[in-house]
Amino acid sequence: MAADTESGAPLLLLRAVGKTFSNGVKALADVDLTIREGDFLSLVGPSGCGKSTALRIIAGLSMPTSGTLQWHKILGDDRVGFVFQEPTLLPWASVFDNVWLPLRLRGVSRRQADHAVRMMLERVHLAGFEHAVPRELSGGMKMRVSIARALVTKPRVLLMDEPFAALDEITRFKLNDDLLELWQEERFTAVFVTHSVFESVFLSNRIVVMAARPGRVHKELAVTAPYPRSEAFRTSADYAALCRRASGMLAEAIDAGTRR
Ligand code: ADP
Ligand code: MG
């Protein structure tokens, strides 16, 4: 477990990864990044710097136009789970059926999936909501369903693209706490995109700051505070100092993108 910033063995290597879209937009250029087992790695950077593009490439939803992606272990179909900014739930289906969906697509029956789905709902604190439909849930609860759905197949890497951006601050803090707890229990590797340096410092052991035009890695910041992290960390002087450093790097990255 990545209880400290010393993270584990390399899991995924991006080497000189570039992505130029057919319309000529250079979304990423020369991205070198090693994601280690057990990392909680955040990607922060100005809008348009290629964060979503990088996640989609890692997920295999998009191919790089240059460079290579190298997985260190063959992890099969279930290597990644994806959580988008919108919970993207099936509106007519129950919470249970929404979480069952990825298993169902793999041919797992409702009865076979029952235990795994209920366990996952318990893990995201939604036990008892199996029969609810999305419109009956708050934004935070919908996001919990989305996380449960992404984790029900036990992926090794959980990719999250600004998952809490639309939530109010109190809900977001609670989801941050619960996500860290889940990460420590389930031991997946997390790659988390956020606009918020505060959120990235609270969650991550590594913050990768990206710059735009073209999208690239600007700098990396290690967050050495130990886990578990709680309210005490969020209100500590260490946390405030790290947030200042991360904000400074982000300001530099924005500047580096506009000077091109
Ligand atoms: P971020 O998530 O950091 O805001 P994106 O990865 O969404 O950035 O986008 C990076 C750049 O690539 C932007 O300039 C965006 O307009 C462009 N882009 C993203 N997807 C496409 C696409 N499918 N076709 C053309 N350009 C795209
Ligand atoms: Mg994006």
Side-chain angles (χ1 to χ4, degrees):
M1 185 183 69
D4 299 301
T5 42
E6 280 306 307
S7 45
L11 188 62
L12 175 62
L13 280 76
L14 283 79
R15 286 293 169 261
V17 165
K19 175 80 182 182
T20 303
F21 286 105
S22 50
N23 63 358
V25 171
K26 212 174 190 181
L28 294 174
D30 269 333
V31 171
D32 284 312
L33 185 64
T34 301
I35 298 169
R36 294 173 176 279
E37 210 159 341
D39 269 345
F40 200 118
L41 186 149
S42 286
L43 294 176
V44 301
S47 169
C49 73
K51 303 179 296 293
S52 295
T53 302
L55 276 200
R56 291 177 56 80
I57 287 175
I58 294 169
L61 297 169
S62 171
M63 294 310 255
T65 44
S66 57
T68 59
L69 202 74
Q70 196 187 333
W71 287 91
H72 254 223
K73 292 178 186 162
I74 309 296
L75 301 169
D77 279 353
D78 297 329
R79 50 189 179 194
V80 301
F82 212 123
V83 175
F84 301 91
Q85 181 174 345
E86 295 301 322
T88 64
L89 305 177
L90 301 175
W92 61 85
S94 68
V95 164
F96 183 99
D97 285 0
N98 269 287
V99 176
W100 171 35
L101 182 70
L103 294 173
R104 190 177 162 189
L105 294 173
R106 288 163 170 77
V108 182
S109 74
R110 177 188 287 274
R111 209 161 56 89
Q112 287 170 319
D114 192 76
H115 181 69
V117 171
R118 284 176 195 281
M119 283 292 289
M120 215 52 243
L121 286 173
E122 205 167 292
R123 282 280 156 90
V124 298
H125 306 297
L126 282 180
F129 288 90
E130 290 79 3
H131 301 296
V133 289
R135 74 177 134 75
E136 299 170 318
L137 305 177
S138 68
M141 289 162 90
K142 283 184 207 162
M143 191 45 75
R144 290 174 187 279
V145 178
S146 180
I147 292 169
R149 182 184 53 189
L151 288 176
V152 77
T153 56
K154 305 280 175 202
R156 297 292 299 278
V157 181
L158 182 64
L159 305 171
M160 288 169 280
D161 197 353
E162 302 191 40
F164 309 143
L167 303 176
D168 64 80
E169 194 169 77
I170 298 296
T171 305
R172 192 199 297 200
F173 282 0
K174 183 75 182 107
L175 276 156
N176 284 170
D177 292 341
D178 292 349
L179 176 62
L180 274 191
E181 198 182 288
L182 203 56
W183 170 72
Q184 292 201 277
E185 285 167 355
E186 302 274 322
R187 297 174 167 224
F188 50 83
T189 298
V191 183
F192 188 95
V193 171
T194 177
H195 265 116
S196 163
V197 293
F198 303 102
E199 187 172 45
S200 71
V201 171
F202 183 72
L203 294 172
S204 329
N205 66 322
R206 297 170 63 191
I207 300 174
V208 172
V209 181
M210 292 176 67
R213 277 182 287 270
R216 60 201 186 277
V217 173
H218 174 67
K219 265 185 194 161
E220 184 170 330
L221 177 66
V223 181
T224 53
Y227 296 96
R229 294 179 186 170
S230 62
E231 208 47 38
F233 176 56
R234 203 182 259 124
T235 50
S236 69
D238 270 359
Y239 176 73
L242 284 158
C243 289
R244 272 197 301 276
R245 282 191 62 193
S247 296
M249 286 183 183
L250 182 58
E252 273 170 25
I254 291 170
D255 199 38
T258 49
R259 271 193 278 101
R260 290 209 171 196

